[in-house]
């Protein structure tokens, strides 16, 4: 590659880890071209915000509704995000519901320990802020599913769409989600094998083989969320609740199939309410993709509409039973509601070792919440993994003059 800058880097995935990597590389002085490729219509991934067709301005934080920083020092990107007004401390109250429907003080858990934050005006502002920190020169491609990966004879990465058309090329590739490397892509999208697998066979890089094997063993729990749009005439009863986050203890989870309730009020009196079903409930319905999900749109057929409606009925009835303590059915509002399905919602321990993050011989890196360490399986871990990968890349890749 004589004469060409050898540090153009592309990130597949504009979730928090992909956007954080771009931001941190810029902060550390990366001089090469940067680009990001995302199948969703906008950045955010599992921390995205869904705009509702039920009214202008109505939006749901339907994945992570907030995030916590549980260990110090905080990720380096936190301060510029706060200073730029992209995120803010979460001002709400958390309570816990027991099996008898009684409210208890929340005992704290891995999603609430430490300091709590949210995107200002929606969780997607976290990724928007990270992309802002990455600068205007980052090429951004949304609505683009990367289907195939190729390494040329000179070691450059190419990525292609489903019709084998080349989308882009770079010297370094970073996968911020596991889809291109994890066997779940077979079940999810009907692919023969994870797209990175044939490339790894050809490259014969032992470190990449180890990383692929570790990613294949990574397990994620599924979740699904029920989204209720609450118009202003019903909004006050939801705003008056003694919590903004209701967590269900194990007995309550068994009784109602619900794990968490997130109340997201707007200045104009409306509310978005998001009810998170338990892992057990989501696992029972793995074949239902949620008609509004990006994946459902990518699948050739989805015969599960009736099942989806049945799931909505079960979860709505459970929610109604829970809420009757505070809100009568006539004051509840919240229909029609929608189901969102997350097939790989929460990474399960032990997670990937940091040594697997960068394969310098193959010029490929990995980041995301699946790396072991503080914040594993959460947004904090996604931020930390990207900061760690950015450090490793800066130490490995020779700079070129800007
Ligand atoms: C319901 C739910 C509740 C949660 N609650 C919390 C919480 O309270 N606190 C907390 O800290 N965390 C929570 N989490 C976890 C948190 O959302 C994740 O840890 C975090 O968002 C992971 O970010 P990431 O960048 O590693 O992965 P992702 O957000 O999954 O980003 C990967 C991105 O890559 C894209 N992508 C993948 N493959 C391709 C491809 N082939 N082509 C193009 N694009 C591709 C995906 O579309 C996605 O946008 C929750 C998650 C869910 C689902």
């Amino acid at each position: 590659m004589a004469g060409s800058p050898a540090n153009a880097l592309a990130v597949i995935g504009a979730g928090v880890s992909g956007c954080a990597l771009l931001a941190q590389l810029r902060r550390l002085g990366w001089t090469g071209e940067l680009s990001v490729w995302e199948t969703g219509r906008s950045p955010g991934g599992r921390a995205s915000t869904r705009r509702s067709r039920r009214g202008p301005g109505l939006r749901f934080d339907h994945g992570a509704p907030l995030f916590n920083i549980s260990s110090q020092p905080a990720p380096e990107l936190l301060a510029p995000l706060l200073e730029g007004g992209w995120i803010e401390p979460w001002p709400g109250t958390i309570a816990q519901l027991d099996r008898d429907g009684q409210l208890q003080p929340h005992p704290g858990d891995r999603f609430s320990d430490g300091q709590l934050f949210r995107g200002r005006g929606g969780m997607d502002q976290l990724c928007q802020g990270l992309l802002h920190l990455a600068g205007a020169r980052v090429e951004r491609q949304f609505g683009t599913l990367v289907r195939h990966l190729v390494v040329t004879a000179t070691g450059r990465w190419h990525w292609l769409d489903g019709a084998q058309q080349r989308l882009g090329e770079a010297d370094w590739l970073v996968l911020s989600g596991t889809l291109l490397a994890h066997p779940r892509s077979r079940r999810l999208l009907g692919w023969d094998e994870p797209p990175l697998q044939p490339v790894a066979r050809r490259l014969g890089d032992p470190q990449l083989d180890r990383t692929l094997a570790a990613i294949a063993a990574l397990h994620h729990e599924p979740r699904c969320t029920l989204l209720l749009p609450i118009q202003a005439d019903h909004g006050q009863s939801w705003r008056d609740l003694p919590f903004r986050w209701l967590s269900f203890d194990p007995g309550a989870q068994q009784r109602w199939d619900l794990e968490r309730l997130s109340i997201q009020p707007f200045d104009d009196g409306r509310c978005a309410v998001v009810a998170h079903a338990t892992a057990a409930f989501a696992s029972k319905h793995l074949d239902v993709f949620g008609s509004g999900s990006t994946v459902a749109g990518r699948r050739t057929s989805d015969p599960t509409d009736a099942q989806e409606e049945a799931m909505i009925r079960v979860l709505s009835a459970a929610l109604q039973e829970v809420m009757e303590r505070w809100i009568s059915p006539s004051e509840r509002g919240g229909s029609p509601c929608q189901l969102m399905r997350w097939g790989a919602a929460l990474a399960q321990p032990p997670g990937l070792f940091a040594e697997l993050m960068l394969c310098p011989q193959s010029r490929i890196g990995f980041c995301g919440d699946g790396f072991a360490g503080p914040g594993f399986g959460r947004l904090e871990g996604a931020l930390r993994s990207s900061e760690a990968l950015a450090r490793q890349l800066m130490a490995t890749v020779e700079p070129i003059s800007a």
Side-chain angles (χ1 to χ4, degrees), residues 145-151 158-168 191-192 195 198-199:
L145 178 71
V146 173
R147 170 66 185 89
H148 303 281
L149 300 172
V150 174
V151 176
H158 289 190
W159 50 101
L160 319 170
D161 65 13
Q164 302 274 0
Q165 294 299 310
R166 182 153 63 94
L167 296 165
W191 296 351
D192 305 340
V199 187

Side-chain angles (χ1 to χ4, degrees), residues 12-19 37-40 42-48 62-68 110-111 144-147 176-180 184 189 191 195 223-225 245 260 276 294 342 344-347 367-370 375-382 385-386:
I12 313 293
V16 171
S17 61
C19 297
W37 304 76
E38 166 61 48
T39 183
S42 50
R46 280 172 280 157
S48 54
H62 61 149
L66 41 74
F67 69 102
N68 60 325
R110 68 190 189 105
F111 288 117
T144 307
L145 178 71
V146 173
R147 170 66 185 89
S176 73
T178 52
L179 189 66
L180 292 169
R184 78 188 163 90
L189 292 158
W191 296 351
R223 287 293 187 279
C224 42
T225 47
W245 166 353
R260 188 187 335 179
H276 296 229
T294 309
W342 301 97
L346 297 175
C367 57
D369 65 341
F376 166 74
R378 297 187 277 114
L379 277 169
E380 178 180 1
S385 78
S386 302

Side-chain angles (χ1 to χ4, degrees), residues 276-288:
H276 296 229
T278 58
F281 183 87
S283 302
K284 259 193 283 175
H285 302 282
L286 269 186
D287 291 331
V288 180

Side-chain angles (χ1 to χ4, degrees), residues 148-266:
H148 303 281
L149 300 172
V150 174
V151 176
T152 66
T154 55
R156 239 171 122 73
W157 285 94
H158 289 190
W159 50 101
L160 319 170
D161 65 13
Q164 302 274 0
Q165 294 299 310
R166 182 153 63 94
L167 296 165
E169 59 177 280
D171 306 291
W172 291 82
L173 188 71
V174 172
L175 303 189
S176 73
T178 52
L179 189 66
L180 292 169
H182 194 280
R184 78 188 163 90
S185 59
R186 268 183 283 190
R187 184 166 194 271
L188 194 64
L189 292 158
W191 296 351
D192 305 340
E193 61 179 339
L196 187 55
Q197 198 88 58
V199 187
R201 274 199 298 275
R202 208 172 66 68
L203 287 171
D205 172 355
Q207 192 188 348
L208 180 55
D209 291 341
R210 268 201 305 282
T211 305
L212 260 179
I215 290 176
L218 192 62
H219 176 63
H220 287 83
E221 273 185 357
R223 287 293 187 279
C224 42
T225 47
L226 187 70
L227 318 184
L228 287 84
I230 309 291
Q231 302 305 334
D233 47 348
H234 292 116
Q236 196 56 44
S237 36
W238 290 89
R239 303 170 92 85
D240 289 345
L241 289 168
F243 48 78
R244 285 280 181 269
W245 166 353
L246 181 64
S247 152
F248 290 62
D249 82 1
Q253 289 186 24
Q254 259 182 24
R255 180 169 170 191
W256 286 294
D257 284 328
L258 294 171
E259 182 177 66
R260 188 187 335 179
L261 191 62
S262 162
I263 320 289
Q264 301 162 13
F266 300 110

